[in-house]
Amino acid sequence: MKVVIVGAGSVGSSIARELLAHKHEILLIDLKPEVIGRSGLRGARWLVGDACELSTLQDAKLEDADVVVSATGDDKVNLVVSLLAKTEFGVGRTVGRVNNPKNDWMFNDSWGVDVAVNTPQLMTALVEEAVEIGDIVRLLTLQTGVASIVEFTVPHDSHVIGSTVGGIQWPEDATLVAILRDQAPITPTRDDVLDGGDELFFVTTIAAEDGLRALLSPASADDHERPGGTAESADQSAEDDGFDG
């Protein structure tokens, strides 16, 4: 895969280093020629120039790139590069670094950004994921704000303990994709029984997050225990709906 990274600072260089280790073809674009010598990146190609200039991107043959990563410390540059990559060169996938959280709303398909990486938001999610047991924590936003990856750690007094995956009526637009148990990932099937301390990972639409939160909150325990809300009846409903795990 050919990846063009704009900005060879600490973030851009770190991304390049990881991608080079996975045998991808990397081109870095930066205004400062001195970054080449201090980067320590072996195997990467370099282009010194202003990535906001169309001529620089033409020299980089951006039309051949599979992915363009805008990783500078300037949000304006990252937006302009993403927009040019999409509109002028038809790049299939763009990733934009968000430096100021106040600018996050601009990093969408209107500016040619497929994936926005908001570092403060990611760090906040990791902190919450470590301490917020019993609540939905958004780890990553996908597809320009349409979908997300969220995590839920099952409390040891949760009403879902003992229920099977197929016995819970999950929101329509939320899919359980993994269970982390005793530091081992499990691919969920309808017969897997949930236990306290399980970390559940979902791919969900943003709109469905509230439904997940309501389903898994302690307040839903009464509904879970009422007739028609038991795991057994939900199992039957899942069978009727053709759920196959």
Side-chain angles (χ1 to χ4, degrees), residues 27-70:
L27 170 65
L28 290 114
I29 304 176
D30 201 284
L31 272 170
K32 302 175 182 178
E34 61 267 24
V35 299
I36 301 176
R38 67 170 184 248
S39 71
L41 294 172
R42 295 184 178 180
R45 296 188 297 115
W46 291 85
L47 178 62
V48 177
D50 184 354
C52 291
E53 295 288 340
L54 203 57
S55 58
T56 300
L57 300 181
Q58 288 171 339
D59 291 342
K61 297 183 178 178
L62 217 65
E63 65 275 8
D64 296 333
D66 298 296
V67 182
V68 170
V69 180
S70 303

Side-chain angles (χ1 to χ4, degrees), residues 5-245:
I5 299 173
V6 176
S10 58
V11 174
S13 296
S14 296
I15 295 170
R17 190 170 291 106
E18 291 292 324
L19 291 173
L20 285 167
H22 289 87
K23 309 302 182 184
H24 296 296
E25 181 183 347
I26 305 300
L27 170 65
L28 290 114
I29 304 176
D30 201 284
L31 272 170
K32 302 175 182 178
E34 61 267 24
V35 299
I36 301 176
R38 67 170 184 248
S39 71
L41 294 172
R42 295 184 178 180
R45 296 188 297 115
W46 291 85
L47 178 62
V48 177
D50 184 354
C52 291
E53 295 288 340
L54 203 57
S55 58
T56 300
L57 300 181
Q58 288 171 339
D59 291 342
K61 297 183 178 178
L62 217 65
E63 65 275 8
D64 296 333
D66 298 296
V67 182
V68 170
V69 180
S70 303
T72 77
D74 188 327
D75 286 344
K76 297 187 294 296
V77 172
N78 294 341
L79 286 170
V80 169
V81 170
S82 297
L83 184 62
L84 290 174
K86 276 291 184 185
T87 59
E88 299 296 326
F89 297 93
V91 175
R93 190 166 186 80
T94 59
V95 178
R97 173 189 176 188
V98 184
N99 296 278
N100 187 339
K102 292 181 180 179
N103 297 329
D104 186 62
W105 64 275
M106 290 189 290
F107 282 74
N108 56 35
D109 53 0
S110 297
W111 278 91
V113 180
D114 292 318
V115 179
V117 180
N118 186 326
T119 304
Q121 186 183 71
L122 285 174
M123 293 181 70
T124 299
L126 290 172
V127 170
E128 290 180 337
E129 192 271 337
V131 298
E132 293 290 337
I133 295 175
D135 196 11
I136 293 291
V137 176
R138 185 186 299 174
L139 300 179
L140 188 64
T141 301
L142 307 170
Q143 294 184 348
T144 62
V146 174
S148 62
I149 296 175
V150 301
E151 184 269 351
F152 176 82
T153 300
V154 180
H156 288 280
D157 59 352
S158 174
H159 63 278
V160 301
I161 291 175
S163 299
T164 62
V165 170
I168 297 176
Q169 293 180 313
W170 306 105
E172 182 178 352
D173 293 326
T175 301
L176 179 64
V177 294
I179 301 172
L180 190 64
R181 179 179 297 161
D182 297 328
Q183 299 184 345
I186 300 170
T187 301
T189 68
R190 61 172 291 108
D191 296 323
D192 284 315
V193 178
L194 299 182
D195 197 2
D198 284 352
E199 295 181 55
L200 312 181
F201 294 85
F202 299 86
V203 174
T204 175
T205 61
I206 303 298
E209 284 185 18
D210 287 340
L212 261 181
R213 187 171 285 107
L215 172 68
L216 296 169
S217 70
S220 68
D222 292 339
D223 292 335
H224 184 80
E225 292 169 358
R226 281 201 294 265
T230 63
E232 289 79 5
S233 61
D235 270 328
Q236 183 59 52
S237 174
E239 290 174 2
D240 293 341
D241 289 341
F243 181 89
D244 59 4

